[in-house]
Amino acid sequence: MEFTEFVKLFKYIIIYTIAFSYFQIVKDYEGEKQNTFNFIFSLSVILFIISLQQYFNVFNLNEIYIKSVAPTQFETLIDNYPNPRPVGMVGNPNELGYLFVIISLLTLYILLKGKFRYIYLLYFGLNVLGVFLTLSRSSLVALLVGITVLIFLMVFKNYLILNLYKFKRLIMLFTISIIILVITILFTDFQEKILWRFGALLEISNDNSWNARVDHWSENLKLLKDNVLLGVGPLSRAELKYAADNEWLLLLRSYGVIGTIYFIMLFFVPHINSYKTEYRALILSILLSASVYMLPVAVFNSLVIMPFVLIILSINDKPVKKLIVKI
């Protein structure tokens, strides 16, 4: 087995414990939660500016620092490469794309829940545009799933009764988004430069990248077939010809059906049974969007995405109550 798996798990436990403890000891919980969100939004603007600079290679800065940030993506961001994919300071365009997805869901949550402020609409627009700039199709699908879930859970009270106030807010956001999209398509080359890649989702069976991933699954599917219930454990990459290219398949191969079910319950059950607040809707939208994103890429095994998700999850957690059993 790989010792790094235990090290990674230890890091996650430390990150979650620190974040959870912090939100338990603050005097003004709601105020600190909003301050945390505002800090995240401010950082996302900086991240978007960096991504924009990388996309257009402003002042040819990419040649100076990109190689140290993303050695495998270096060539796609220099010499006027036709389809650049920004990596931010993350190093991977797919991971960067999903970070923008999470922050987009955070801003949409604020827009639907709190007092309408145009600054949050700007944050939402920049992060959605950030998803498009990365050309990450998995992130776009995850974004659409997350937005759909969040809107349904927040706009429909008890999942059936329509909340008119939030519905009106949603109609306004939808109208503004459509207007911006139409103007962008009509007066920019956005469609030729970026939308072409997402259009390939409609013919995914003919996509070379997707077909390569499917081919890589065969090795892992064979291991899963021989060890369905408990899996084979965390194998070293040196023992495999291909990467899993599907985190659900990786989990199934490593820990079997039993371990994967436990993994799902570990994240979903605490928040399904959590306080009856709208923040639960945000958590579930992020978890479900992550579930979709994990089909071709990784969340749990990403040392960039997972710590961020853990911090957001910790905000919705609550102290464990002592249970005394008398015999």
Side-chain angles (χ1 to χ4, degrees), residues 53-54 57-66 77-78:
Q53 177 274 313
Q54 292 174 354
N57 195 11
V58 179
F59 302 126
N60 293 319
L61 292 176
N62 291 353
E63 283 80 354
I64 299 175
Y65 74 96
I66 288 295
L77 290 169
I78 62 173

Side-chain angles (χ1 to χ4, degrees), residues 118-322:
Y118 285 102
I119 186 64
Y120 293 121
L121 182 61
L122 175 63
Y123 290 147
F124 179 72
L126 291 181
N127 281 281
V128 170
L129 180 56
V131 174
F132 281 99
L133 285 178
T134 63
L135 299 181
S136 174
R137 291 172 293 190
S138 52
S139 295
L140 178 62
V141 175
L143 175 66
L144 295 176
V145 170
I147 287 177
T148 302
V149 172
L150 184 60
I151 288 174
F152 178 79
L153 293 178
M154 292 193 69
V155 174
F156 289 89
K157 187 178 180 181
N158 296 327
Y159 313 118
L160 293 174
I161 304 172
L162 181 67
N163 186 316
L164 291 178
Y165 171 76
K166 287 186 172 59
F167 183 71
K168 292 178 181 177
R169 181 74 62 86
L170 177 63
I171 292 298
M172 180 172 62
L173 291 173
F174 180 76
T175 303
I176 294 174
S177 298
I178 291 297
I179 292 173
I180 293 174
L181 180 62
V182 170
I183 292 174
T184 302
I185 292 176
L186 290 178
F187 297 101
T188 69
D189 59 352
F190 187 79
Q191 187 169 4
E192 296 178 3
K193 294 287 187 180
I194 294 177
L195 289 185
W196 67 269
R197 180 173 170 85
F198 298 104
L201 285 169
L202 301 176
E203 299 179 355
I204 193 68
S205 60
N206 297 325
D207 183 73
N208 292 332
S209 177
W210 176 258
N211 289 328
R213 291 180 185 274
V214 173
D215 290 338
H216 293 177
W217 292 353
S218 58
E219 179 183 28
N220 295 274
L221 286 171
K222 184 180 183 303
L223 289 171
L224 171 61
K225 183 179 178 181
D226 296 336
N227 305 272
V228 175
L229 292 180
L230 297 177
V232 296
L235 296 178
S236 171
R237 279 289 302 274
E239 299 178 29
L240 300 171
K241 186 177 180 181
Y242 301 112
D245 279 338
N246 182 323
E247 195 162 30
W248 286 117
L249 183 55
L250 175 62
L251 290 169
L252 285 166
R253 182 201 78 194
S254 300
Y255 309 111
V257 174
I258 294 176
T260 303
I261 291 175
Y262 176 77
F263 175 85
I264 294 172
M265 293 176 63
L266 182 67
F267 287 94
F268 278 93
V269 172
H271 299 287
I272 291 176
N273 296 327
S274 65
Y275 297 125
K276 302 295 182 180
T277 64
E278 290 180 323
Y279 193 73
R280 183 179 64 167
L282 171 65
I283 293 295
L284 292 178
S285 69
I286 291 176
L287 290 177
L288 288 172
S289 73
S291 300
V292 173
Y293 177 82
M294 287 165 63
L295 287 173
V297 208
V299 172
F300 183 74
N301 288 285
S302 169
L303 295 177
V304 173
I305 296 175
M306 193 60 193
F308 187 36
V309 172
L310 288 173
I311 292 172
I312 295 173
L313 292 179
S314 70
I315 298 176
N316 193 46
D317 206 345
K318 56 185 178 181
V320 178
K321 294 182 179 180
K322 293 181 179 180

Side-chain angles (χ1 to χ4, degrees), residues 25-45:
I25 64 175
V26 293
K27 294 181 179 180
D28 183 9
Y29 168 77
E30 288 297 331
E32 194 58 38
K33 183 172 73 172
Q34 187 61 51
N35 290 337
T36 302
F37 287 166
N38 289 337
F39 179 67
I40 292 172
F41 298 153
S42 299
L43 291 180
S44 74
V45 173

